[in-house]
Amino acid sequence: KNQVEQSPQSLIILEGKNCTLQCNYTVSPFSNLRWYKQDTGRGPVSLTIMTFSENTKSNGRYTATLDADTKQSSLHITASQLSDSASYICVVSGGGSARQLTFGSGTQLTVLP
Amino acid sequence: NAGVMQNPRHLVRRRGQEARLRCSPMKGHSHVYWYRQLPEEGLKFMVYLQKENIIDESGMPKERFSAEFPKEGPSILRIQQVVRGDSAAYFCASSPSETGGYGYTFGSGTRLTVV
């Protein structure tokens, strides 16, 4: 059964601090791994997409890593801002279609002033 | 470009009533996917439609749920005789093609509450 597990479930940090979110997956076949940011009451918005051959990808203050051998990914957020407060969702794709996505349940990040 | 539009944003229904959720895809997108998000859980695929066709409904409950994407107008997710367990956030995403996996965009969702 395809599964995506994220940790921690929730995280509280102070503004300006860094944090790292974890994602473990058991999805086969594997096409790509995505990290999404979902603000409260909004739909998920893509942050990064990584294929099998990519180990790291950055998008501003967000840096995602992928270890396809251990089936683990992380999302590192540097110099956090209040607007980073959101749920961060790891999504693994088994193919090119949006119906082949397996979603994690997310890490709820709260950034405090 | 207004993005993927879903309405209503919030919907309250009494048990036994019908719920109709609408999704207007991005301009130029003819592929629509519906997902359901239960509290504390990840999004789960429900159904994939192209204009006038249901391509994959493997994630849809067998009873009470139906979806359509007519030639004109938005895609509709219809839930008949709603029960408390139907309370969830329902998201749709659209893409320009099925394999446009890098190009799909999510709407803001409809939050259904069954009382």
Side-chain angles (χ1 to χ4, degrees), chain A residues 2 12-13 16 19 24 26 28 37 51 55 57 65 68 85-86 89:
Chain A
N2 290 339
I12 300 174
I13 61 174
C19 67
N24 297 330
T26 55
S28 182
K37 179 185 179 187
T51 60
N55 300 119
K57 182 165 279 190
T65 65
S85 294
I89 304 173

Side-chain angles (χ1 to χ4, degrees), chain B residues 46-89:
Chain B
M46 299 181 73
V47 62
Y48 162 47
L49 310 102
Q50 296 177 24
K51 282 286 188 180
E52 301 184 273
N53 289 302
I54 297 174
I55 307 302
D56 181 351
E57 55 182 350
S58 58
M60 287 272 273
K62 293 291 186 280
E63 298 178 348
R64 303 186 297 107
F65 284 72
S66 62
E68 62 178 16
F69 190 13
K71 185 176 181 181
E72 301 291 336
S75 175
I76 306 288
L77 179 66
R78 181 183 178 205
I79 311 173
Q80 295 177 292
Q81 299 173 350
V82 295
V83 301
R84 289 245 170 90
D86 296 333
S87 295

Side-chain angles (χ1 to χ4, degrees), chain A residues 7-97:
Chain A
S7 62
Q9 188 174 16
S10 61
L11 182 62
I12 300 174
I13 61 174
L14 294 177
E15 186 179 13
K17 297 296 185 183
N18 303 335
C19 67
T20 300
L21 315 180
Q22 302 292 341
C23 172
N24 297 330
Y25 63 92
T26 55
V27 175
S28 182
F30 174 86
S31 175
N32 57 72
L33 184 145
R34 308 149 181 261
W35 282 94
Y36 282 86
K37 179 185 179 187
Q38 185 176 18
D39 292 309
T40 301
R42 310 292 292 181
V45 175
S46 180
L47 295 174
T48 64
I49 299 175
M50 288 185 293
T51 60
F52 184 88
S53 59
E54 295 175 293
N55 300 119
T56 185
K57 182 165 279 190
S58 292
N59 177 3
R61 295 178 297 102
Y62 302 103
T63 299
T65 65
L66 173 64
D67 186 334
D69 291 330
T70 62
K71 298 189 178 181
Q72 296 180 323
S73 176
S74 66
L75 180 69
H76 186 72
I77 305 174
T78 58
S80 60
Q81 300 176 358
L82 298 179
S83 59
D84 292 333
S85 294
S87 178
Y88 291 84
I89 304 173
C90 177
V91 184
V92 180
S93 176
S97 171

Side-chain angles (χ1 to χ4, degrees), chain A residues 34 38 41 43 97-99 101, chain B residues 9 35 56 91 98 101 104 107:
Chain A
R34 308 149 181 261
Q38 185 176 18
S97 171
R99 53 178 159 159
L101 302 179
Chain B
R9 292 294 303 277
Y35 298 85
D56 181 351
F91 291 93
E98 176 171 14
Y104 49 80

